Amino acid sequence: MIAQPANLSENTNGLLTRFQEDCKLRGMVSASDYVNRSKEFCRFVEARGKTPLNADRDVIKAFLAFLKERNIKFKTISRTFTCISAFYSFLIEEELMENNPILLFRKRYLRKYKNDNDSEIRKLISIDEASKLVNSILDTRDRCITVLLFKTGMRLGELLSLDQDDIDLDKAEIHLKQKSKRSNRILYMDDESVLALSRWLISRKNRLGSEGPALFLSKRGSRISKKPIETMIEKHAERVGLHDSKSAKLEDRFTPHCCRHWFVTHLLRGGMSRDFVKELRGDTRGKQSISITTLIGKS
């Protein structure tokens, strides 16, 4: 393995500094992450006698192999190449390059790498186990979040961005923010989802930060973030025997994304066409909602 240089060339350092300034100007929250990952790539490239402006496919392939040798998870590798691709997009905007060499590389090598190595099976629980999990949760906020993740199939990021104004209880609708990954922005709720949401909205009035727009609040009164929800879901799932925090295997761990996996899988197993499930998942426009009456016990 070729050692990476301690210091980058003056020209490359200048490019990275300008890239960082551009990221901040664009309001990118993870600007430092984009720059740091791009800097690691540039160091590797310069150790091979190249610069980011003339790095060829062989060097990029070598960098992928270098990351794989470190046993880095696919998600982290994918994130790294996303950051590098953004760096090259910046270089194109600055008229320093004509093409982004990462785009076709990611399409060929990262997809193949994921298919070959991402063999772990995500945990799937039964409908009865989902009912057991939901009914074990007493906190109205936690219960509402879990129900909506199960019964709408929305992504965690979509749930985090919800405001009170996005909810129409009379029409049993949830209006999602515009996202590139989502086509249908309206989710339809059944009676049980409406009930869980109604109870949370009543409880929310007495919570810190209730005057703000966010639908789901943290204990400090701000919009709840990703980590507390992940911790909450895992805590409740572990209590009812559905999550093993000590295991590194996906099939032993229950995370918020498992709710979306549950939503899609049980629809398919119930006989719904794959095309229509794609619509419900948000891949194409759809207008239906899953209705599983056993999910929440009536009270």
Side-chain angles (χ1 to χ4, degrees), residues 261-285:
H261 178 52
W262 179 92
F263 173 84
V264 171
T265 302
H266 284 294
L267 285 179
L268 292 173
R269 288 184 176 181
M272 184 174 288
S273 72
R274 187 170 295 274
D275 287 340
F276 195 61
V277 171
K278 287 182 179 179
E279 293 180 352
L280 295 180
R281 195 174 57 186
D283 297 344
T284 55
R285 216 162 268 286

Side-chain angles (χ1 to χ4, degrees), residues 207-221:
R207 301 286 183 111
L208 186 65
S210 60
E211 68 282 357
L215 177 61
F216 293 110
L217 304 171
S218 68
K219 293 181 179 180
R220 296 182 177 181

Side-chain angles (χ1 to χ4, degrees), residues 236-249:
H236 292 303
E238 186 166 21
R239 191 180 63 249
V240 296
L242 299 176
H243 174 78
D244 183 359
S245 60
K246 297 180 180 179
S247 176
K249 296 181 179 180

